[in-house]
Amino acid sequence: VSKQVLERVLRQLQPLCSAEQQFLQEFFQLSHDPAAVQGLQVSVSTVAPPHFTADLLFWLGFGFFLRPEEPTTCLLSEIFSCLEPELRGFLDVCNKVHQFGSLQVLVTLSDSVFEMWGSSSAPRSSFLNTILGNVLLLAKSSFNKCIGTLCKEMEETKVPSKMKGGLLPSVSRFEEFVVFSEEVFRTARRRGELDKAHLRLASSVFSSINSLSSANLKVNTDMVMMENFHHIHCFLCQKKIHCLEDKKREAKQRYSEHMEKYVIRYLDQPLEKLNHFFEGVRTRLAQGVKEEEVSFQLAYSKQELRKVLEKYPGKEVRRALETLYRKIHKDLSPEENLLPVVWHTMEQKLIHQCQEFEDLIQRCYAGSGIAMDFTMEDLLSYFNSITLSN
């Protein structure tokens, strides 16, 4: 509504001010020659009423020390003395009515000034252009303050310790602003101020997500960060905002990093003791123990390996994977729909882990006939059946 009101006012002001400016220049013969202005002083003093003569001669005399067009500007300033204060007051009202009201005023004024600068009928030195330029600077200042306040709000918002996941308030606020501002700027001729604002807000929302690493949350922090960076990436892919391309790529990278951390955290659970055993084998190899000598280490003998493998028959592994699936399903919010992606990543990493176990058995326990109770094909079927059953 404020945008429509301001556009209507400007449409009426432009022809009015232009006509008044032209009348003053023609009627008072205000030319580029200061001598002509001095001659007009003498003429006016002989024919104009005393109360009118004093004011007019003041402004015309003032013109001797200014640029040639300023006598006209001074007269227009007297005639339209309330114009700039009223426009400033309108901006104040817009700011009070809507948090981003200054953005609508900024776009409307920018387009109007840009149009006047490109118009031969409204020279750059025109009175109205000067007034609108002053109000435009004020609108930019108000808009920058608004963005600064929003950035601070995003960075300082504390996440409740009982948060169960989902979008952070800062991410929702960022998305809200981008949607609103892009609609306002949809037909704007210039968007430099908006691009700067987008970059500032994107940095603030990234900062707010990063601050979770030190938050005392009761849920998995990597999971929350993964979901929020994923949401921002998808949102920016949809909006296709050129100035935020780097932020879009960064969001994708951060989303992938935190998904990796989240998966690794739960990766050991289905085969925890088996993974712990082979971690010790790797440590011995790294310390210089020969492969064929590992089985002679008391803690990593063939007998100890068989004991560990007996704890993981195929049925137990499948049951452990089902428990893990329910845990991940409970963690993740349905809105982001990351369960299939996380589960598939878990599948790939667990299969790779088991392949490493097989490789270590072949290298360090060659000829022992020791093997895991399940094959890689079995493991794939466990994952597939769990996925289909849920």
Side-chain angles (χ1 to χ4, degrees), residues 59-191:
W59 293 115
L60 293 177
F62 191 57
F64 284 128
F65 307 101
L66 304 174
R67 295 190 300 274
E69 70 274 9
E70 290 196 4
T72 307
T73 302
C74 292
L75 289 172
L76 288 169
S77 297
E78 283 293 303
I79 296 171
F80 298 105
S81 60
C82 66
L83 180 56
E84 185 169 343
E86 289 291 341
L87 289 173
R88 289 173 176 266
F90 179 77
L91 176 59
D92 289 338
V93 171
C94 291
N95 289 335
K96 292 177 182 178
V97 171
H98 194 284
Q99 183 181 7
F100 306 134
S102 57
L103 179 57
Q104 295 178 313
V105 176
L106 180 62
V107 172
T108 306
L109 284 175
S110 295
D111 287 349
S112 180
V113 171
F114 183 80
E115 182 179 345
M116 291 178 67
W117 275 51
S119 173
S120 58
S121 61
R124 294 188 181 187
S125 58
S126 71
F127 164 76
L128 182 58
N129 203 354
T130 302
I131 295 295
L132 295 184
N134 292 338
V135 181
L136 178 59
L137 290 176
L138 182 62
K140 286 183 178 181
S141 177
S142 297
F143 177 63
N144 288 332
K145 288 179 181 178
C146 171
I147 297 303
T149 301
L150 188 55
C151 287
K152 186 176 181 180
E153 174 189 320
M154 288 180 174
E155 294 170 6
E156 295 181 354
T157 299
K158 293 183 179 180
V159 180
S161 60
K162 295 183 179 180
M163 179 179 179
K164 296 183 179 180
L167 290 188
L168 297 173
S170 58
V171 175
S172 300
R173 291 290 283 148
F174 173 74
E175 183 175 327
E176 175 190 350
F177 174 82
V178 170
V179 170
F180 175 81
S181 61
E182 284 297 317
E183 177 60 26
V184 173
F185 267 81
R186 186 169 49 86
T187 58
R189 303 191 184 193
R190 297 181 179 181
R191 53 177 291 140

Side-chain angles (χ1 to χ4, degrees), residues 294-306:
V294 169
S295 62
F296 294 102
Q297 301 281 318
L298 184 61
Y300 303 102
S301 65
K302 296 175 185 178
Q303 183 179 0
E304 290 299 319
L305 175 58
R306 288 191 179 96

Side-chain angles (χ1 to χ4, degrees), residues 286-354:
Q287 291 173 346
V289 177
K290 294 181 180 180
E291 292 178 354
E292 60 271 18
E293 296 178 355
V294 169
S295 62
F296 294 102
Q297 301 281 318
L298 184 61
Y300 303 102
S301 65
K302 296 175 185 178
Q303 183 179 0
E304 290 299 319
L305 175 58
R306 288 191 179 96
K307 288 181 180 179
V308 175
L309 289 176
E310 286 175 357
K311 296 178 180 179
Y312 293 99
K315 291 182 179 180
E316 288 299 321
V317 173
R318 190 186 191 286
R319 187 177 294 111
L321 289 176
E322 289 175 340
T323 302
L324 179 60
Y325 183 90
R326 288 193 293 269
K327 170 63 178 173
I328 296 174
H329 184 274
K330 184 179 179 181
D331 277 353
L332 302 179
S333 59
E335 293 80 11
E336 294 305 308
N337 193 32
L338 283 176
L339 179 59
V341 180
V342 172
W343 187 241
H344 179 66
T345 304
M346 186 73 72
E347 174 187 331
Q348 290 180 319
K349 289 192 175 298
L350 192 60
I351 289 174
H352 178 70
Q353 186 183 72
C354 289

